[in-house]
Amino acid sequence: MNVAAGVTEEGADGMVTITPREDVPANAGGLCQKGWTAGELLTGGHRLTTPLLHGEPASWDEALGFVAARVRALQAEHGPDGVAVFGGGGLTNEKAYLLGKFARMVLRTSQIDYNGRFCMSSAAAASNRAFGMDRGLPFPITDLAAADAVLLAGGNVAETMPPFVRHLTAMRQNGGSLIVADPRLTATARQADLHLQPTPGTDLALALGLLHLAIAEGYVDEAYVAGRTNGFDAVRTSVAAWWPERVERITGVPVSQMRRAVAILGNARRAAVLTGRGVEQHAKGTDTVTAFINLALALGLPGRPGSGYGCITGQGNGQGGREHGQKADQLPGYRKIDDPAAREHVARVWGIDPDDIPGPGRSAYELLDVLGTDAGPRGLLLFGSNPVISAPRAGHVAERLRSLDLLVVSDFVLSETAALADVVLPSTQWAEEQGTMTNLEGRVLLRRRALTPPSGVRSDLEILQALAVRLREPAPAGDGGATPGSTAPGSTAPGGPDMVRAFPTEPREVFDELRRASAGGVADYAGITYERIAAETGVFWPCPDTGHPGTPRPFLDRFATPDGRARFVPVEHRPPGEDVDEEYPLYLTTGRVLAHYQSGAQTRRIDALNAVVAETFVELHPDLAERLEVSAGETLRVVSRRGRTEGVARVNPAIRADTVFMPFHWAGANLLTNPELDPVSRMPEFKVCAVRLERVG
Ligand SMILES: Nc1nc2c(c(=O)[nH]1)N[C@H]1C(S)=C(S)[C@@H](COP(=O)(O)OP(=O)(O)OC[C@H]3O[C@@H](n4cnc5c(=O)[nH]c(N)nc54)[C@H](O)[C@@H]3O)O[C@H]1N2
Ligand SMILES: Nc1nc2c(c(=O)[nH]1)N[C@H]1C(S)=C(S)[C@@H](COP(=O)(O)OP(=O)(O)OC[C@H]3O[C@@H](n4cnc5c(=O)[nH]c(N)nc54)[C@H](O)[C@@H]3O)O[C@H]1N2
Ligand SMILES: [Mo]
């Protein structure tokens, strides 16, 4: 639901219609079903319009005053890290930026992370390692139409990004070939010229095998490797042991198919290697993506026109949301929080001492895992996520959330997580506010306000300002809030920055500050203005000054590493965190369906979408169904070491017989998933764990 891609209009009847923006090529005039129906939620009766304090309607003064008083008390007792913040990749750049600033400058907590950790963090880590920069696609999406081949590993764009499919279709119409790697014959894989169907969690071996073959069959672009990269020799040595028959035994992908894939890619003049969550959401996701990048580098693709490596996008602002400081280890402009120069620069923009910026905090799951314990924060402020449904080992996460002394959720619907909160703050919806989003191409887009918000709600920016004022400035009389004159622990006031000025509520003002904070960083927005992106249908970062045209293809001449060369990184295959055994003999993998979005907080409230898929299901192969004597439509219990849930059996020959699939849009799938983390990206292993099936009744 990339909402920057649609135009929203309020009709005379108050009904909302959304039409695709023809001028944004990533969209090419298309919008997915969720986009078309999003209007129903905007105007529906599920909307929160009043703050809730312990489940009862309250005034804003009461609710915010309660939050401020509790935050002060918790921080007085437990220190600044006693309160944590959790953000989301659906937030606009302005919100993500201000949320990070609020955590560091007002709460002075190191404990902030966001749901993007569950999304593109492995691809981001691998891109940073190889190229010194993480931009989903380092080329405009329209370049794909001119490619001779695309390998899409672990992405189901036909269901998750329908407008993207046009670019793949255009490529195929121009004579190019599509290769898809997925344990399921998905709607996307059906459009492929070649479908590789690996066992979940074995893509790293697959990528090593493909590179082994590419070397053996003479497809390495030696001149490119010598001229633009470092480290190939170590990788060449490390893949020598990954001969194709060995890879076939591990992955289940026949040698003949691997040879065909390598021939297609190796003979292509222009080609792209793309990854999706299927290969990334693993405890070895970063290394798996690295192995695919190594393949792309050996074939000489990144930095060549119409070629390269990219990852398909996630949430509405999946790209921009990971650039401006809601990540535990990050400051705005994709800066590292432990880099003294970065701290110095951002502190100057914020008007504070660099030493007052806390250090890196815990990653998303590690943070959720310790909430309410002696080691962890006792309070949490959450904006734009629903971890009760979407976090791994969700039963445990819900327990941790319940154990908090203070849970505050800003949302526009009563999500499962908001339902557990002490305080719910009703916020404006995307169509009711202006803001910028950055799409998978690194193109910064302006989303205009199209609707008047219902009375009673406030924007996230207004909420952050109100909390900053209550926490860091003497409370005005009659505010119903904090004790007059008191300030948060460690406050630099008096003489500290004025909170109304430091936390503007006008998105354009926030963006102008973000531009300054990002200036000189990897994701440099300094030259991007609201005027420009309104007039130019977006500007690609980095864009260091207003006279700069923006950078659609950042790697044409050099990579963003210190010496300008891409880095090969040797990686080794290893089994999933939890492999199958006698007790849990099947692999569970999880993902999405076209009609529902994420934790379902929005789409499960829309009748038209429930009419398409109304309940969770367990997809299994007919052979497995026969062996277990299961028939389609009966209820199955799925059990893992972490929990159990039920779902309706969908018998489908499109899935491997050793694997079952569940969507995560409903409570259930994540009661089962394994929270084992990738050591680099801290991504949980959503895409593979061991389960058994039981018939119910
Ligand atoms: N309809 C819809 N669209 C969405 C979303 C949504 O919730 N609903 N969410 C948005 C977001 S935030 C994201 S991140 C994107 C995600 O977009 P995708 O990455 O396309 O989505 P997923 O369904 O999570 O996973 C893609 C595929 O990975 C496969 N897979 C599972 N395990 C493995 C494995 O071990 N190896 C390989 N090779 N493949 C595997 C699954 O079978 C699935 O078909 O979609 C975005 N678009
Ligand atoms: N098993 C399994 N689990 C997964 C995945 C998987 O493939 N398998 N995928 C993971 C991925 S890629 C992702 S991105 C996560 C997503 O999962 P979540 O982080 O739970 O994301 P959403 O469901 O989009 O939840 C967003 C919530 O914030 C609210 N919201 C939206 N916009 C705003 C805003 O601007 N302000 C405020 N205050 N609230 C807002 C919405 O109403 C909704 O309740 O799930 C992850 N979990
Ligand atoms: Mo995502």
Side-chain angles (χ1 to χ4, degrees), residues 202-261:
T202 64
D203 302 272
L204 181 39
L206 178 66
L208 295 171
L210 295 177
L211 180 52
H212 176 105
L213 278 171
I215 294 171
E217 297 184 3
Y219 289 117
V220 173
D221 186 336
E222 301 285 354
Y224 170 97
V225 168
R228 298 211 55 185
T229 71
N230 289 326
F232 183 53
D233 287 344
V235 167
R236 190 199 301 261
T237 309
S238 74
V239 300
W242 290 96
W243 57 90
E245 293 73 17
R246 179 181 177 204
V247 174
E248 174 176 327
R249 274 201 307 279
I250 293 175
T251 62
V253 177
V255 173
S256 59
Q257 290 185 3
M258 285 186 256
R259 281 190 201 284
R260 228 184 111 203

Side-chain angles (χ1 to χ4, degrees), residues 154-386:
N156 182 15
V157 289
E159 296 206 58
T160 58
M161 211 185 158
F164 190 98
V165 175
R166 293 166 190 234
H167 304 284
L168 297 178
T169 307
M171 173 202 63
R172 294 190 65 229
Q173 282 167 350
N174 294 335
S177 304
L178 175 65
I179 308 167
V180 170
D182 197 305
R184 302 184 302 142
L185 177 63
T186 59
T188 312
R190 282 180 209 284
Q191 299 179 32
D193 300 278
L194 176 61
H195 174 214
L196 313 175
Q197 200 164 7
T199 308
T202 64
D203 302 272
L204 181 39
L206 178 66
L208 295 171
L210 295 177
L211 180 52
H212 176 105
L213 278 171
I215 294 171
E217 297 184 3
Y219 289 117
V220 173
D221 186 336
E222 301 285 354
Y224 170 97
V225 168
R228 298 211 55 185
T229 71
N230 289 326
F232 183 53
D233 287 344
V235 167
R236 190 199 301 261
T237 309
S238 74
V239 300
W242 290 96
W243 57 90
E245 293 73 17
R246 179 181 177 204
V247 174
E248 174 176 327
R249 274 201 307 279
I250 293 175
T251 62
V253 177
V255 173
S256 59
Q257 290 185 3
M258 285 186 256
R259 281 190 201 284
R260 228 184 111 203
V262 166
I264 291 172
L265 289 168
N267 289 318
R269 222 167 23 88
R270 298 171 163 210
V273 174
L274 306 177
T275 61
R277 301 309 86 76
V279 303
E280 299 164 8
Q281 290 174 322
H282 292 272
K284 56 176 179 292
T286 304
D287 283 354
T288 301
V289 175
T290 294
F292 281 106
I293 291 176
N294 286 342
L295 174 66
L297 286 171
L299 297 174
L301 305 177
R304 287 261 171 86
S307 293
Y309 163 77
C311 82
I312 61 167
T313 202
Q315 306 170 75
N317 194 27
Q319 178 70 44
R322 69 180 189 262
E323 299 167 356
H324 298 297
Q326 53 175 334
K327 224 176 146 198
D329 53 357
Q330 192 190 62
L331 289 173
Y334 225 127
R335 289 184 156 90
K336 299 289 288 177
I337 203 165
D338 51 11
D339 168 7
R343 298 169 65 86
E344 178 93 24
H345 173 85
V346 173
R348 202 172 324 116
V349 175
W350 291 353
I352 61 172
D353 189 322
D355 292 339
D356 285 347
I357 298 179
R362 293 181 175 90
S363 76
Y365 181 77
E366 290 167 293
L367 175 59
L368 296 170
D369 184 38
V370 296
L371 291 175
T373 66
D374 288 345
R378 313 302 294 237
L380 178 71
L381 313 184
L382 186 142
F383 293 75
S385 182
N386 186 13

Side-chain angles (χ1 to χ4, degrees), residues 59-71 467 470 479-482:
S59 72
W60 277 96
D61 264 357
E62 280 173 303
L64 294 169
F66 179 86
V67 174
R70 295 297 291 139
V71 166
L467 287 173
R470 278 173 174 76
D479 185 50

Side-chain angles (χ1 to χ4, degrees), residues 216-580:
E217 297 184 3
Y219 289 117
V220 173
D221 186 336
E222 301 285 354
Y224 170 97
V225 168
R228 298 211 55 185
T229 71
N230 289 326
F232 183 53
D233 287 344
V235 167
R236 190 199 301 261
T237 309
S238 74
V239 300
W242 290 96
W243 57 90
E245 293 73 17
R246 179 181 177 204
V247 174
E248 174 176 327
R249 274 201 307 279
I250 293 175
T251 62
V253 177
V255 173
S256 59
Q257 290 185 3
M258 285 186 256
R259 281 190 201 284
R260 228 184 111 203
V262 166
I264 291 172
L265 289 168
N267 289 318
R269 222 167 23 88
R270 298 171 163 210
V273 174
L274 306 177
T275 61
R277 301 309 86 76
V279 303
E280 299 164 8
Q281 290 174 322
H282 292 272
K284 56 176 179 292
T286 304
D287 283 354
T288 301
V289 175
T290 294
F292 281 106
I293 291 176
N294 286 342
L295 174 66
L297 286 171
L299 297 174
L301 305 177
R304 287 261 171 86
S307 293
Y309 163 77
C311 82
I312 61 167
T313 202
Q315 306 170 75
N317 194 27
Q319 178 70 44
R322 69 180 189 262
E323 299 167 356
H324 298 297
Q326 53 175 334
K327 224 176 146 198
D329 53 357
Q330 192 190 62
L331 289 173
Y334 225 127
R335 289 184 156 90
K336 299 289 288 177
I337 203 165
D338 51 11
D339 168 7
R343 298 169 65 86
E344 178 93 24
H345 173 85
V346 173
R348 202 172 324 116
V349 175
W350 291 353
I352 61 172
D353 189 322
D355 292 339
D356 285 347
I357 298 179
R362 293 181 175 90
S363 76
Y365 181 77
E366 290 167 293
L367 175 59
L368 296 170
D369 184 38
V370 296
L371 291 175
T373 66
D374 288 345
R378 313 302 294 237
L380 178 71
L381 313 184
L382 186 142
F383 293 75
S385 182
N386 186 13
V388 167
I389 304 294
S390 58
R393 198 185 166 203
H396 169 70
V397 167
E399 203 176 287
R400 296 280 101 254
L401 289 165
R402 279 195 203 95
S403 77
L404 284 167
D405 296 328
L406 176 69
L407 175 61
V408 181
V409 174
S410 164
D411 207 314
F412 33 80
V413 292
L414 192 67
S415 70
E416 287 77 3
T417 307
L420 299 182
D422 300 290
V423 182
V424 181
L425 303 172
S427 49
T428 42
Q429 249 267 22
W430 46 269
E432 297 157 0
E433 46 190 25
Q434 198 174 40
T436 62
M437 307 276 231
T438 305
N439 79 356
L440 81 165
E441 309 165 282
R443 184 199 294 259
V444 185
L445 294 160
L446 182 63
R447 205 189 53 201
R448 293 181 183 81
R449 175 174 154 153
L451 295 176
T452 315
S455 69
V457 307
R458 293 195 184 177
S459 74
D460 290 316
L461 300 181
E462 289 168 337
I463 291 169
L464 290 174
Q465 184 190 72
L467 287 173
V469 167
R470 278 173 174 76
L471 285 165
R472 293 295 296 271
E473 285 181 350
D479 185 50
T483 332
S486 67
T487 51
S491 167
T492 51
D498 153 12
M499 289 299 132
V500 173
R501 240 184 329 112
F503 290 87
T505 58
E506 191 48 55
R508 178 195 299 257
E509 251 181 87
V510 179
F511 188 76
D512 283 338
E513 187 183 305
L514 180 160
R515 293 169 53 202
R516 284 187 286 123
S518 75
V522 175
D524 190 333
Y525 282 40
I528 304 176
T529 63
Y530 269 36
E531 287 71 23
R532 278 188 75 176
I533 54 181
E536 298 172 31
T537 66
V539 173
F540 295 84
W541 69 256
C543 179
D545 59 72
T546 47
H548 189 287
T551 316
R553 298 177 187 84
F555 300 153
L556 285 184
D557 302 319
R558 63 190 313 279
F559 295 99
T561 51
D563 65 1
R565 296 160 74 88
R567 304 181 193 111
F568 278 97
V569 181
V571 289
E572 274 304 319
H573 179 69
R574 46 204 187 267
E578 182 181 71
D579 219 329
V580 292

Side-chain angles (χ1 to χ4, degrees), residues 115 118-120 277 281 313-315 592 598:
N115 66 13
F118 300 159
C119 189
M120 282 173 289
R277 301 309 86 76
Q281 290 174 322
T313 202
Q315 306 170 75
R592 296 160 164 80
Q598 310 278 64

